[in-house]
Amino acid sequence: MLIVRSIWNGAISFGLVSIPIKLVNATESHSISFRQIHLEDGGRIRYRKVCELEEKEVGSAEIGKGYEDADGTIIPITDDDLAHLPLPTAKTIEIVAFVPADRIDPLQMDAAYYLAAGGAPAAKPYTLLREALKRSNKVAIAKFALRGRERLGMLRVVEDAIAMHGLLWPDEVRAPQGVAPDTKVTVNDKELDLADALMDTLGEIDLDDLHDEYREALEEVVAAKAAGETVPEAPEPAKGGKVLDLMAALEKSVRDAKESRGEEPAEVRHLPQRKSARATPKQAGGKKSTATATAAAKKTTASAKKTAASAKKSTATKKTAAKKTASKSTASKSTASKSTASAKKTTAKRATPRKRSA
């Protein structure tokens, strides 16, 4: 079992119930620290604590606390003075309320601690408080004193332990005034749909898979220099082009995210562009105009071909009708000629005088 040194001993005040606890750090820093050195010879640069009155270096055992008044006077404050502060939270984490967890603004979150039960007698009340927090789905708001000041804390359950997050006082959180863009911008539903598609494509991630790549790279540099090897060079950063079209950037992001996950490229509909008072880029406008003109020309050509075909069909129909009319006319003329010839013959017969016998 990992032994962690406690940084504060006291008790949790839960109504009339008192739970002896030890406060231990819940987090640790893995960042790499550097020492200041003299560039000329590599010697360590140290800061020495010197008394201004005697101009001599003093040790940690000779150093205490003091409050500087407005006129520059130093008022000594001893550890005994701090131990006898008239505060109920000097050695007690006093629970003042239980609230839903979503009532806590993440901006207020500060350092995190684990509360360890202080001995066997604390096991029962400790477990009682832990199970009560679990069943209520709430967090406890408490006040406690640490490192010379009273603080606000939030108690919650982490696995089988009670954790406490230090909270900033509400008046210590600044309002976000002057942070948001002051330019009026309108985001339409189609842009939001693409942003949602990108969020869905990126999906979720297991936070345990994330690690500090900067620290790992720094460790490689330190190891290479210690071994007298060549320091690894950083890869060339990707050159990002100037984003002229938010929609195009969103579409490309969705495609890239899907390809990086080994999925098929996302099907993204090209959305119709609304008329806007802002000028569009010349290149994009030229392509759009050319495409429109080409489509119109193709449409006109197809219409002309269709008209020509209709004209040919109409001409052929007229010729056929003319031929039929001519045939009927010829037949009529032939019939008329026959009728005329027959009439002439009949008339001639009637006109010939008969011979009388003597």
Side-chain angles (χ1 to χ4, degrees), residues 277-297:
R278 295 177 63 183
T280 55
K282 292 183 178 180
Q283 185 176 0
K287 288 183 179 179
K288 186 175 179 182
S289 301
T290 305
T292 305
T294 304

mmCIF file of all heavy atoms in Angstrom, residues 277-297:
data_model
loop_
_atom_site.group_PDB
_atom_site.id
_atom_site.type_symbol
_atom_site.label_atom_id
_atom_site.label_comp_id
_atom_site.label_asym_id
_atom_site.label_seq_id
_atom_site.Cartn_x
_atom_site.Cartn_y
_atom_site.Cartn_z
ATOM 1 N N ALA A 277 -24.127 40.486 -48.299
ATOM 2 C CA ALA A 277 -23.578 41.783 -48.689
ATOM 3 C C ALA A 277 -22.064 41.731 -48.774
ATOM 4 O O ALA A 277 -21.436 42.555 -49.404
ATOM 5 C CB ALA A 277 -23.997 42.853 -47.684
ATOM 6 N N ARG A 278 -21.460 40.720 -48.145
ATOM 7 C CA ARG A 278 -20.007 40.628 -48.166
ATOM 8 C C ARG A 278 -19.530 40.094 -49.492
ATOM 9 O O ARG A 278 -20.152 39.256 -50.110
ATOM 10 C CB ARG A 278 -19.538 39.706 -47.039
ATOM 11 C CG ARG A 278 -19.827 40.252 -45.662
ATOM 12 C CD ARG A 278 -19.411 39.272 -44.605
ATOM 13 N NE ARG A 278 -17.959 39.079 -44.680
ATOM 14 C CZ ARG A 278 -17.321 38.223 -43.909
ATOM 15 N NH1 ARG A 278 -17.970 37.497 -43.054
ATOM 16 N NH2 ARG A 278 -16.001 38.088 -44.024
ATOM 17 N N ALA A 279 -18.402 40.606 -49.914
ATOM 18 C CA ALA A 279 -17.855 40.186 -51.202
ATOM 19 C C ALA A 279 -17.268 38.804 -51.065
ATOM 20 O O ALA A 279 -16.600 38.492 -50.101
ATOM 21 C CB ALA A 279 -16.775 41.168 -51.661
ATOM 22 N N THR A 280 -17.519 37.928 -52.068
ATOM 23 C CA THR A 280 -16.957 36.586 -52.067
ATOM 24 C C THR A 280 -15.623 36.618 -52.777
ATOM 25 O O THR A 280 -15.364 37.484 -53.610
ATOM 26 C CB THR A 280 -17.908 35.618 -52.791
ATOM 27 O OG1 THR A 280 -18.158 36.131 -54.091
ATOM 28 C CG2 THR A 280 -19.230 35.497 -52.047
ATOM 29 N N PRO A 281 -14.728 35.639 -52.482
ATOM 30 C CA PRO A 281 -13.430 35.599 -53.166
ATOM 31 C C PRO A 281 -13.590 35.478 -54.666
ATOM 32 O O PRO A 281 -14.497 34.818 -55.165
ATOM 33 C CB PRO A 281 -12.776 34.338 -52.569
ATOM 34 C CG PRO A 281 -13.475 34.142 -51.264
ATOM 35 C CD PRO A 281 -14.858 34.630 -51.463
ATOM 36 N N LYS A 282 -12.668 36.166 -55.427
ATOM 37 C CA LYS A 282 -12.772 36.193 -56.879
ATOM 38 C C LYS A 282 -12.696 34.812 -57.482
ATOM 39 O O LYS A 282 -13.421 34.475 -58.385
ATOM 40 C CB LYS A 282 -11.653 37.071 -57.447
ATOM 41 C CG LYS A 282 -11.809 38.550 -57.111
ATOM 42 C CD LYS A 282 -10.713 39.368 -57.758
ATOM 43 C CE LYS A 282 -10.882 40.856 -57.459
ATOM 44 N NZ LYS A 282 -9.821 41.652 -58.094
ATOM 45 N N GLN A 283 -11.802 33.997 -56.964
ATOM 46 C CA GLN A 283 -11.606 32.684 -57.550
ATOM 47 C C GLN A 283 -12.869 31.853 -57.400
ATOM 48 O O GLN A 283 -13.324 31.210 -58.326
ATOM 49 C CB GLN A 283 -10.449 31.978 -56.846
ATOM 50 C CG GLN A 283 -10.100 30.639 -57.492
ATOM 51 C CD GLN A 283 -8.888 30.011 -56.829
ATOM 52 O OE1 GLN A 283 -8.353 30.604 -55.916
ATOM 53 N NE2 GLN A 283 -8.485 28.863 -57.309
ATOM 54 N N ALA A 284 -13.449 31.860 -56.185
ATOM 55 C CA ALA A 284 -14.657 31.091 -55.971
ATOM 56 C C ALA A 284 -15.784 31.616 -56.828
ATOM 57 O O ALA A 284 -16.564 30.874 -57.413
ATOM 58 C CB ALA A 284 -15.054 31.140 -54.500
ATOM 59 N N GLY A 285 -15.926 32.956 -56.939
ATOM 60 C CA GLY A 285 -16.971 33.546 -57.748
ATOM 61 C C GLY A 285 -16.803 33.195 -59.200
ATOM 62 O O GLY A 285 -17.753 32.922 -59.939
ATOM 63 N N GLY A 286 -15.530 33.233 -59.714
ATOM 64 C CA GLY A 286 -15.265 32.916 -61.117
ATOM 65 C C GLY A 286 -15.656 31.502 -61.441
ATOM 66 O O GLY A 286 -16.272 31.202 -62.448
ATOM 67 N N LYS A 287 -15.307 30.553 -60.554
ATOM 68 C CA LYS A 287 -15.655 29.165 -60.784
ATOM 69 C C LYS A 287 -17.152 28.985 -60.813
ATOM 70 O O LYS A 287 -17.696 28.261 -61.623
ATOM 71 C CB LYS A 287 -15.039 28.299 -59.687
ATOM 72 C CG LYS A 287 -13.537 28.148 -59.812
ATOM 73 C CD LYS A 287 -13.013 27.234 -58.736
ATOM 74 C CE LYS A 287 -11.502 27.067 -58.871
ATOM 75 N NZ LYS A 287 -10.975 26.200 -57.822
ATOM 76 N N LYS A 288 -17.833 29.663 -59.914
ATOM 77 C CA LYS A 288 -19.279 29.522 -59.851
ATOM 78 C C LYS A 288 -19.921 30.092 -61.101
ATOM 79 O O LYS A 288 -20.829 29.503 -61.684
ATOM 80 C CB LYS A 288 -19.802 30.235 -58.601
ATOM 81 C CG LYS A 288 -21.289 30.014 -58.365
ATOM 82 C CD LYS A 288 -21.689 30.632 -57.064
ATOM 83 C CE LYS A 288 -23.198 30.415 -56.841
ATOM 84 N NZ LYS A 288 -23.637 31.041 -55.608
ATOM 85 N N SER A 289 -19.425 31.282 -61.575
ATOM 86 C CA SER A 289 -19.985 31.897 -62.770
ATOM 87 C C SER A 289 -19.738 31.024 -63.986
ATOM 88 O O SER A 289 -20.608 30.839 -64.843
ATOM 89 C CB SER A 289 -19.359 33.282 -62.977
ATOM 90 O OG SER A 289 -19.607 34.082 -61.866
ATOM 91 N N THR A 290 -18.508 30.469 -64.088
ATOM 92 C CA THR A 290 -18.176 29.611 -65.227
ATOM 93 C C THR A 290 -19.074 28.386 -65.255
ATOM 94 O O THR A 290 -19.582 27.980 -66.303
ATOM 95 C CB THR A 290 -16.701 29.179 -65.157
ATOM 96 O OG1 THR A 290 -15.892 30.340 -65.071
ATOM 97 C CG2 THR A 290 -16.314 28.356 -66.364
ATOM 98 N N ALA A 291 -19.256 27.770 -64.066
ATOM 99 C CA ALA A 291 -20.094 26.585 -63.999
ATOM 100 C C ALA A 291 -21.526 26.906 -64.391
ATOM 101 O O ALA A 291 -22.190 26.149 -65.102
ATOM 102 C CB ALA A 291 -20.059 26.013 -62.593
ATOM 103 N N THR A 292 -22.017 28.075 -63.941
ATOM 104 C CA THR A 292 -23.388 28.474 -64.268
ATOM 105 C C THR A 292 -23.534 28.720 -65.762
ATOM 106 O O THR A 292 -24.512 28.307 -66.398
ATOM 107 C CB THR A 292 -23.752 29.746 -63.488
ATOM 108 O OG1 THR A 292 -23.526 29.504 -62.103
ATOM 109 C CG2 THR A 292 -25.206 30.119 -63.707
ATOM 110 N N ALA A 293 -22.524 29.424 -66.352
ATOM 111 C CA ALA A 293 -22.577 29.720 -67.784
ATOM 112 C C ALA A 293 -22.520 28.435 -68.599
ATOM 113 O O ALA A 293 -23.243 28.271 -69.595
ATOM 114 C CB ALA A 293 -21.423 30.640 -68.168
ATOM 115 N N THR A 294 -21.671 27.499 -68.196
ATOM 116 C CA THR A 294 -21.557 26.230 -68.927
ATOM 117 C C THR A 294 -22.863 25.459 -68.876
ATOM 118 O O THR A 294 -23.328 24.908 -69.880
ATOM 119 C CB THR A 294 -20.435 25.379 -68.301
ATOM 120 O OG1 THR A 294 -19.233 26.135 -68.311
ATOM 121 C CG2 THR A 294 -20.233 24.091 -69.087
ATOM 122 N N ALA A 295 -23.461 25.411 -67.661
ATOM 123 C CA ALA A 295 -24.736 24.707 -67.530
ATOM 124 C C ALA A 295 -25.810 25.352 -68.392
ATOM 125 O O ALA A 295 -26.609 24.677 -69.046
ATOM 126 C CB ALA A 295 -25.176 24.707 -66.077
ATOM 127 N N ALA A 296 -25.821 26.705 -68.433
ATOM 128 C CA ALA A 296 -26.818 27.412 -69.241
ATOM 129 C C ALA A 296 -26.597 27.144 -70.722
ATOM 130 O O ALA A 296 -27.544 26.958 -71.504
ATOM 131 C CB ALA A 296 -26.745 28.905 -68.952
ATOM 132 N N ALA A 297 -25.305 27.110 -71.148
ATOM 133 C CA ALA A 297 -25.000 26.855 -72.563
ATOM 134 C C ALA A 297 -25.445 25.456 -72.960
ATOM 135 O O ALA A 297 -26.016 25.238 -74.034
ATOM 136 C CB ALA A 297 -23.507 27.026 -72.821
#
